[in-house]
Amino acid sequence: MMSSKSKVVTTAVIGTGHFATAVVTQAESIAELRVPVVVDIDVEAAQLAYERAGVDPANVVICESQSAALSARKRRQARHCPTPVS
């Protein structure tokens, strides 16, 4: 059982296969888990993972650079990065 002092775990997933997509979708129903970043070379697969999780497409940003990802982070938007940004 989670204590009242539980912290939110924020993570990213790399790749959007079955397991990672399951993590993204389950995170929407777990208050202590956030997955605001998905990294995948297949943009459509990453978008589908967020779609299956019920994330509003208007809140998903495709980021091609670190600055784009940081900007989306400030706006608290979900980010998809086709490749790791440095």
Side-chain angles (χ1 to χ4, degrees):
M1 178 166 269
M2 301 297 288
S3 72
S4 62
K5 294 181 181 181
S6 61
K7 295 182 179 181
V8 175
V9 173
T10 302
T11 190
V13 296
I14 299 174
T16 50
H18 294 291
F19 183 79
T21 297
V23 170
V24 173
T25 57
Q26 290 175 19
E28 291 300 305
S29 62
I30 300 171
E32 295 84 11
L33 179 61
R34 290 188 62 243
V35 184
V37 178
V38 171
V39 179
D40 198 310
I41 60 172
D42 185 343
V43 174
E44 291 177 3
Q47 290 173 317
L48 183 59
Y50 279 130
E51 180 182 313
R52 288 181 174 162
V55 175
D56 181 351
N59 289 325
V60 177
V61 178
I62 298 170
C63 301
E64 299 281 347
S65 67
Q66 181 181 17
S67 62
L70 292 173
S71 179
R73 178 182 179 192
K74 288 179 185 175
R75 294 188 308 271
R76 301 183 74 67
Q77 291 177 300
R79 278 93 63 200
H80 164 255
C81 302
T83 57
V85 291
S86 53

